[in-house]
């Protein structure tokens, strides 16, 4: 079991790294052993959401400056696993957005710890329905792109009946594919999000590679600090050191 103690200026946070995400685990351990994180700050803090750190440019951070683009000269292959999700206290890897990073590769060093919110059953069920609708629409968009030439030809010929028939066909295929992928949440996820809390809308988007096992109250304190424009805390929250425990 790989355990890391993160000493911050507001208290200690102890995290366990998952064996199920070996690339992220080994990279995080390597950086910890190098002292890579020592003296950095939590440069992005959003109340009710998460706290983010790991930018090496924040060592000796300049007052009032915004950070978040620093890191080693590599990224890490995504290890997004359905059983590892964004419950409160989850440790996950930051990354560039899909438009620049369609493979969802992780930052080589930046990470965040989830805070999120506790969902009531009704709100969570509504969110699950929205997930299914978005997934179905994404599949339909992909199918439409795959049949683009056929659609253009039908439009060119003003074949409304043909367009309607193709639309019905693609919608049926999208529904069937979405159903086969079983879009939704496991019982474990539902239990966590309605009791512990978290950020379910990040599931499937970022690699979760560990979780807080001690010091969740410190994460709570950090996520509640006052911040400037750009989400940097008014008073720096320093990651003093990260060491194997």
């Amino acid at each position: 079991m790989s355990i890391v103690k993160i000493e911050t200026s507001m208290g200690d946070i102890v995290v366990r790294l998952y064996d199920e995400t070996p690339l992220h685990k080994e990279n995080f351990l390597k950086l910890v052993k190098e002292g890579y994180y020592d003296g950095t700050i939590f440069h992005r803090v959003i109340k009710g959401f998460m706290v983010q750190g790991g930018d090496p440019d924040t060592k000796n951070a300049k007052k009032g400056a915004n950070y978040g683009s620093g890191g080693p000269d590599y990224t890490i292959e995504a290890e997004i696993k359905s059983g590892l999700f964004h419950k409160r206290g989850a440790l996950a890897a930051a990354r560039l957005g899909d438009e620049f990073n369609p493979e969802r590769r992780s930052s080589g060093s930046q990470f965040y710890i989830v805070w999120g919110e506790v969902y009531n059953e009704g709100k969570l069920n509504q969110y699950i329905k929205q997930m299914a609708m978005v997934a179905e629409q994404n599949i339909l968009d992909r199918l439409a792109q795959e049949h683009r030439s056929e659609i253009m030809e039908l439009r060119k010929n003003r074949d409304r009946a043909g367009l309607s028939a193709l639309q019905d066909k693609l919608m049926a295929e999208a529904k069937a594919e979405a159903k086969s992928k079983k879009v939704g949440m496991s019982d474990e996820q539902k239990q966590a999000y309605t009791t512990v809390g978290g950020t379910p809308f990040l599931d499937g988007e970022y690699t979760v590679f560990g979780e807080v096992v001690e010091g969740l109250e410190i994460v709570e304190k950090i996520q509640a600090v006052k911040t400037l424009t750009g989400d940097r805390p008014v008073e720096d929250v320093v990651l003093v050191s990260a060491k194997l425990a």
Side-chain angles (χ1 to χ4, degrees):
M1 183 182 297
S2 299
I3 303 292
V4 174
K5 180 180 179 181
I6 300 172
E7 180 188 351
T8 82
S9 55
M10 296 184 72
D12 296 343
I13 303 168
V14 179
V15 297
R16 174 173 68 87
L17 307 181
Y18 296 145
D19 292 335
E20 295 91 334
T21 51
L23 299 179
H24 286 72
K25 181 184 76 170
E26 294 306 320
N27 180 69
F28 195 75
L29 291 174
K30 177 180 84 70
L31 297 180
V32 166
K33 292 173 183 175
E34 293 174 355
Y36 191 92
Y37 293 116
D38 299 357
T40 59
I41 66 171
F42 286 92
H43 62 273
R44 184 169 179 241
V45 172
I46 302 177
K47 187 174 183 179
F49 182 36
M50 60 90 213
V51 303
Q52 183 172 331
D55 183 343
D57 294 344
T58 64
K59 293 188 178 185
N60 302 312
K62 296 179 180 179
K63 197 170 184 65
N66 289 328
Y67 294 94
S69 59
D73 60 354
Y74 61 83
T75 56
I76 308 169
E77 182 180 345
E79 294 180 293
I80 298 171
K81 307 292 179 66
S82 59
L84 306 178
F85 51 91
H86 288 78
K87 63 185 177 182
R88 182 167 289 175
L91 173 67
R95 67 174 179 85
L96 291 176
D98 286 1
E99 63 272 28
F100 303 108
N101 178 28
E103 295 179 341
R104 297 175 178 171
R105 295 180 67 89
S106 299
S107 163
S109 64
Q110 291 193 41
F111 64 88
Y112 60 92
I113 301 175
V114 173
W115 187 253
E117 66 174 290
V118 177
Y119 286 72
N120 62 46
E121 189 172 341
K123 185 175 181 180
L124 190 64
N125 286 337
Q126 184 61 37
Y127 174 71
I128 293 171
K129 288 180 182 179
Q130 291 174 354
M131 284 175 58
M133 290 173 62
V134 170
E136 188 175 310
Q137 185 61 51
N138 288 340
I139 294 170
L140 182 59
D141 290 345
R142 191 200 76 226
L143 292 173
Q145 187 62 32
E146 292 173 359
H147 290 78
R148 186 172 183 276
S149 59
E150 184 179 353
I151 292 170
M152 295 300 291
E153 185 66 23
L154 289 169
R155 285 178 175 171
K156 180 181 178 181
N157 296 329
R158 298 183 180 180
D159 186 349
R160 294 183 179 179
L163 274 171
S164 179
L166 179 59
Q167 182 181 41
D168 290 344
K169 175 177 177 289
L170 296 184
M171 288 179 68
E173 288 181 9
K175 284 181 181 293
E177 185 174 334
K179 186 176 181 180
S180 71
K181 290 184 176 179
K182 298 179 180 179
V183 176
M185 289 187 186
S186 66
D187 290 341
E188 184 184 4
Q189 283 174 290
K190 292 177 183 177
Q191 174 72 13
Y193 290 133
T194 55
T195 56
V196 177
T199 55
F201 49 89
L202 296 180
D203 289 345
E205 301 291 328
Y206 297 81
T207 296
V208 175
F209 65 97
E211 65 180 272
V212 174
V213 292
E214 293 179 32
L216 194 57
E217 72 279 4
I218 305 303
V219 179
E220 181 177 17
K221 289 179 181 178
I222 297 173
Q223 63 88 35
V225 301
K226 292 182 179 180
T227 56
L228 302 164
T229 302
D231 303 316
R232 178 177 171 181
V234 173
E235 298 294 333
D236 285 344
V237 180
V238 181
L239 196 163
V240 179
S241 71
K243 298 177 180 178
L244 297 180

